[in-house]
Amino acid sequence: RITHVNLRMTGWVEDLFVDYTGQLVRKDQPLFTLYSQDLVATQDEFLLALRAKADIQGSPLLEAREQGAQMVEAARDRLRLWTITDKQIEELARRGTPQTYVTIHSPSTGFVVDKKVFKGMYVTPELTVYTLADLSTVWVHADVFEYEIPFIRVGQSGTLTLDAYPDKTFQGAITYIYPYLNSKTRTVKVRLVFPNPALQLKPDMYGTIHLPVDRGRKLA
């Protein structure tokens, strides 16, 4: 549930709409505007293809009309490769002139956990401009003692308690048991998944996991 936002083009950041770490971002929300010379040139190619298609629309040659349509579709595909949405492409066709700045939208919903972009900055495809984390579901890693390993299994339910919420418990389930042992603590790491709709579970919190085990009737 971690999303790294990278660009497929180089350019300069003009307006910055998401400007601090920890901000909640919704899918398709504008992140910033970008000026890119390559993108302007690709928009020009698309508009030229549209005009050429319109000029030969009345041609009696079917091959010429088909070629015009193919040129438009090829230019449209190049814009899509620059992560330009179909809605933005339709707006470009209606406007008839290239847009100097393009708006970059968020690919997913999540919290900004890392931001490396600033207004006026020159960005490249190698730079991860944002890192987004969807915290609606979280992982909890629990350390289980070596002698308790035979009693745990994938799918087993568990209860989480935290010092931050002493009167509240959270219900989750084991989704993975790591295949190695910690030689120093003699424990195996177990991963549980917990729903987090109210976002009360924060990354790097510490808590206690309770795993109920039915060991039958025993003499103790």
Side-chain angles (χ1 to χ4, degrees), residues 69-85:
Q70 290 172 0
M71 289 173 58
V72 171
E73 195 56 35
R76 189 188 301 271
D77 286 340
R78 283 194 292 273
L79 286 171
R80 291 189 181 120
L81 290 174
W82 291 121
T83 65
I84 304 303
T85 65

Side-chain angles (χ1 to χ4, degrees), residues 119-130:
K119 187 173 181 178
M121 182 178 179
Y122 180 74
V123 292
T124 63
E126 294 81 11
L127 178 67
T128 300
V129 290
Y130 290 99

